[in-house]
Amino acid sequence: MAKQKLLSGIQATGKPHIGNYFGAMKQFVDMQDDHDALFMIADLHSLTTVKDPSVLRENILNVAIDYLAIGIDPNKAKIFRQSDVRSHTELTWVFNCLTSMPYLMRAHSFKDAEAKSKEVNIGLFDYPMLMAADILLYDPDIVPVGADQKQHLEFTRDTAEKFNNTYGETFKLPEDKILKSVGTIPGNDGRKMSKSYGNHLPLFASDEEIEKFTMSIVTDSKAPEDKKETEGDTLFRLHELFSSEDVLSEVRNGYENGGIGYGDAKKMLVESIKAFVAPLREKRAEIAKDKNHVLDVLDEGGKAADEIAEEKMRDVREKIGLNIS
Ligand code: ADP
Ligand code: TRP
């Protein structure tokens, strides 16, 4: 049976943290074997907020290196840059001409930006149409994204339907695949881990960063001999993610029956996180040394993506009347 087609993307806006990893990126790696997968670097989307060319350049390269370091294998999946495939912006324009302003004004991303009274550029307003083009050009069966992207996928499906109703069947409606919740990964203050709260641990953190993050996890003031609640406890939740079965059961036992202090539980967590992060960090450093290889991967992925997208775009141009031969 043919493999299901999958496409997803990450904006080039900064370093990923372990919330991003467990919430999204890890699942990309898990899905690359039994799907025909495309992973995009949404560099044009990043342009809505990143205005420094050297930062943008660095961010784009960093996402490519991150994808490779977590284990996306270019022999199995394609990694490509949005800006390498011109059809994305061309199709966005076509969608712009089918979409009304009041409809786009309902987007959470636009409303959030407006509420923060940021200057909302047209690119930010049009973000969902570019995302619809990203997806629909490739006819994917599924688009794995975090729950925060649900509305963007609804916009994508609506736009596909609008086009199909106006010009005839052209786009496949992608299935709404919201990533299985691993739950929200907490930051060291107990709130959702997020760059904007500054409570995060970078995925490729140094040993010092791991120590600093872990030792500052907020706990209550129970003594070592007290029984402790595992449910909703940030320190315990992180042990569940990073510790081996043996370490985890020792910590669970110490929580449920008393006998482990938070300080010791933190020291054990530091070791577990280091053991998890160190190989990833070393692999990333290795990959980063060979920039030419990274560029080759992007080049090859870009060409493969462009072929698929251009074929779709030819069909679109014909359907809308832009071909006159
Ligand atoms: P941030 O809040 O740090 O800016 P993003 O909004 O860029 O993170 O998140 C990108 C993706 O990473 C989301 O779609 C979501 O799937 C995942 N993600 C982010 N933070 C968490 C978290 N704390 N727990 C689980 N998943 C997360
Ligand atoms: N908007 C997505 C995010 O911020 C990134 C993205 C852009 C994307 N184009 C996409 C995700 C296409 C999936 C498919 O997370």
Side-chain angles (χ1 to χ4, degrees), residues 190-211:
R191 291 189 291 173
K192 176 191 172 208
M193 182 176 291
S194 171
K195 267 177 295 228
S196 47
Y197 295 150
N199 62 355
H200 60 289
L201 178 66
L203 175 58
F204 303 101
S206 65
D207 283 351
E208 293 70 38
E209 285 173 305
I210 294 170
E211 280 158 26

Side-chain angles (χ1 to χ4, degrees), residues 13 17 19-24 145-149 179 182-186 192-196:
T13 41
H17 55 68
N20 302 140
Y21 177 72
F22 287 106
V145 284
D148 59 330
Q149 296 295 314
L179 288 172
V182 281
T184 300
I185 314 297
K192 176 191 172 208
M193 182 176 291
S194 171
K195 267 177 295 228
S196 47

